[in-house]
Amino acid sequence: SRRVGILQNAHAKRLRDLEIISDDKEEESPWPSVGTFFLLKASAKIFPVTDKKHYVVTPVNLLLGQILSQTPVMSSADLALGVAIAGLLLENGIEAKRVAPEALGFLASVIRLFSNNPENFALPSFESTYHLPNFQDLRNNLQKKKWELEAVPNLKLESQFLSNDDAIVAGAILKSVLHVVGAFANALQ
């Protein structure tokens, strides 16, 4: 639990630093690293997620919800990591028969991000994301390509895969969102 507190403080510091960074400097993502994500994922495999209040899992779930709801999305890598975090938060909730509104809001906002209608985002942080040039390119490239579901690759958290702001990355992100939402809906039945 102490380590989760350290991670929460580090996340809060990255959010504060983001406000201070000027526009002319290279921006560093306020999202946690992939390694931190896997550490948080491991905690759900080691400790019971079904306990109502657990010394480790409850703070982890709160941190995951905070990350999803408060961290601005500025790149396709942020978006992919957010989808993975939302999937983890929903996975933790399925076993405990809980719903994570932050995860559902994030996934709904991702779907809205790829639409032509920029209104009514579930999370306010996505309203500015919609107008970023790299997301406009992702959206335009996704709409131009003719898709067959089998041809869309699975989402990878590798920086080499995510550095391409093209239709393949956009398709992989959208496919993952729809897969997570579908798996969650099936688990609720």
Side-chain angles (χ1 to χ4, degrees), residues 87-152:
L88 175 61
L89 192 55
L90 289 175
E91 182 182 329
N92 290 351
I94 286 171
E95 291 183 40
K97 298 191 182 347
R98 288 188 212 119
V99 175
E102 300 91 349
L104 294 174
F106 186 88
L107 295 173
S109 294
V110 171
I111 293 171
R112 174 69 69 177
L113 184 65
F114 288 110
S115 75
N116 289 326
N117 185 0
E119 297 181 22
N120 301 325
F121 281 99
L123 297 177
S125 61
F126 273 84
E127 291 173 9
S128 61
T129 302
Y130 186 87
H131 300 290
L132 292 175
N134 57 333
F135 288 106
Q136 290 175 352
D137 292 342
L138 276 176
R139 191 170 36 259
N140 292 336
N141 290 337
L142 181 67
Q143 292 172 356
K144 289 178 188 174
K145 189 165 175 84
K146 302 291 184 206
W147 288 101
E148 290 186 29
L149 189 58
E150 297 81 27
V152 180

Side-chain angles (χ1 to χ4, degrees), residues 29-98:
S29 175
W31 286 80
S33 68
V34 175
T36 301
F37 165 72
F38 284 122
L39 176 70
L40 296 173
K41 184 175 175 98
S43 69
K45 302 297 180 195
I46 296 169
F47 300 105
V49 295
T50 56
D51 290 358
K52 185 173 181 177
K53 291 182 182 179
H54 189 273
Y55 189 66
V56 175
V57 176
T58 301
V60 165
N61 286 338
L62 289 172
L63 175 61
L64 293 173
Q66 180 183 13
I67 289 169
L68 288 177
S69 62
Q70 295 178 357
T71 311
V73 176
M74 302 180 325
S75 69
S76 56
D78 294 347
L79 197 60
L81 188 59
V83 170
I85 289 173
L88 175 61
L89 192 55
L90 289 175
E91 182 182 329
N92 290 351
I94 286 171
E95 291 183 40
K97 298 191 182 347
R98 288 188 212 119

